[in-house]
Amino acid sequence: AQKITQTQPGMFVQEKEAVTLDCTYDTSDPSYGLFWYKQPSSGEMIFLIYQGSYDQQNATEGRYSLNFQKARKSANLVISASQLGDSAMYFCAMRDLIGGNEKLTFGTGTRLTIIP
Amino acid sequence: DSGVTQTPKHLITATGQRVTLRCSPRSGDLSVYWYQQSLDQGLQFLIHYYNGEERAKGNILERFSAQQFPDLHSELNLSSLELGDSALYFCASSVGGRRVSTDTQYFGPGTRLTVL
């Protein structure tokens, strides 16, 4: 079965430092997508970045990058030069097509707190 | 702003009642997904519609039902409400159509349901 594991329930990081949020996944489908979403205290889910299983290069979107290690089944989110506004819950999610279901499977999330 | 709209933003009701949550997808998106976020269950997939047809069901209770209308907006109906149904309900939309892992889901702001 599809599974996403986020082992860091909470992290505290000094402002302007880089931070890595861990995510490991499990799937038997060779074609899958990995997504990161940010959920601020206001509650909305904001799409940050996507990595496809066949992508040769790590995805980047502004200060966000994805450290994709396929053999280790990990897709860690890296936020460079953290800002106070980065304080939020971060969810890793996976979409594969096993059974024809196009749903997202989410991890339990990491609560990131940026310290001034 | 993801372009996905959900109404109402907050809903407070009593046990045994019935409510309807509404979602309008992003312009051009044909797929609508419903997710439930609760403290004990995390983010759970409920149901997926594509261009008016049900495509997949997840952990959706029999008391819950949904539909997608010809104008592509969707409604999630929750009946015989219980205390445990209190949660944040998200609608997400994507282009849909092609069963590929790259189809990014964009989330609405959510409806926070409180059952008293």
Side-chain angles (χ1 to χ4, degrees), chain A residues 4-102:
Chain A
I4 293 283
T5 303
Q6 294 181 254
T7 57
Q8 306 153 310
M11 286 187 71
F12 291 84
V13 173
Q14 205 75 36
E15 190 180 5
K16 299 180 185 175
E17 288 186 353
V19 57
T20 298
L21 305 181
D22 294 342
C23 172
T24 58
Y25 60 91
D26 191 24
T27 179
S28 57
D29 192 341
S31 177
Y32 52 89
L34 296 156
F35 303 81
W36 278 91
Y37 288 86
K38 172 184 178 181
Q39 187 176 37
S41 57
S42 51
E44 72 267 35
M45 292 285 285
I46 302 167
F47 166 69
L48 295 178
I49 196 167
Y50 160 81
Q51 179 84 44
S53 58
Y54 294 120
D55 293 344
Q56 295 297 311
Q57 295 195 334
N58 288 339
T60 60
E61 288 285 350
R63 292 187 299 113
Y64 304 109
S65 61
L66 206 152
N67 184 1
F68 181 46
Q69 298 187 42
K70 195 170 181 177
R72 298 179 62 182
K73 294 192 173 180
S74 76
N76 298 339
L77 177 70
V78 180
I79 306 174
S80 63
S82 57
Q83 303 170 356
L84 295 179
D86 294 332
S87 293
M89 281 289 287
Y90 289 81
F91 291 94
C92 179
M94 178 176 66
R95 181 173 187 264
D96 60 25
L97 299 175
I98 290 177
N101 194 330
E102 298 159 72

Side-chain angles (χ1 to χ4, degrees), chain A residues 37 39 50 95 97 100 104, chain B residues 35 37 55 99-100 102 105:
Chain A
Y37 288 86
Q39 187 176 37
Y50 160 81
R95 181 173 187 264
L97 299 175
L104 287 172
Chain B
Y35 293 87
Q37 185 179 31
R55 190 162 261 193
R99 291 178 183 264
V100 293
T102 56
Q105 295 180 24

Side-chain angles (χ1 to χ4, degrees), chain B:
Chain B
D1 186 349
S2 67
V4 179
T5 60
Q6 286 187 251
T7 56
K9 194 165 175 59
H10 300 278
L11 200 47
I12 302 174
T13 188
T15 54
Q17 295 297 306
R18 173 189 169 94
V19 296
T20 298
L21 313 184
R22 183 187 168 103
C23 167
S24 292
R26 294 188 319 156
S27 177
D29 285 357
L30 299 179
S31 269
V32 169
Y33 306 79
W34 287 96
Y35 293 87
Q36 179 195 58
Q37 185 179 31
S38 61
L39 285 174
D40 54 344
Q41 298 284 342
L43 272 154
Q44 298 283 321
F45 166 72
L46 295 178
I47 198 163
H48 169 205
Y49 278 84
Y50 172 72
N51 203 19
E53 293 189 2
E54 181 184 302
R55 190 162 261 193
K57 269 186 175 179
N59 300 322
I60 188 166
L61 300 171
E62 286 193 11
R63 300 184 285 109
F64 296 0
S65 65
Q67 57 184 132
Q68 186 180 27
F69 295 87
D71 68 351
L72 300 177
H73 91 271
S74 178
E75 292 180 357
L76 179 67
N77 300 295
L78 315 176
S79 61
S80 303
L81 285 168
E82 302 175 359
L83 296 177
D85 298 328
S86 295
L88 186 53
Y89 290 85
F90 285 109
C91 164
S93 76
S94 69
V95 173
R98 300 173 304 135
R99 291 178 183 264
V100 293
S101 63
T102 56
D103 201 25
T104 298
Q105 295 180 24
Y106 294 89
F107 283 70
T111 293
R112 187 169 296 278
L113 173 67
T114 302
V115 182
L116 301 176

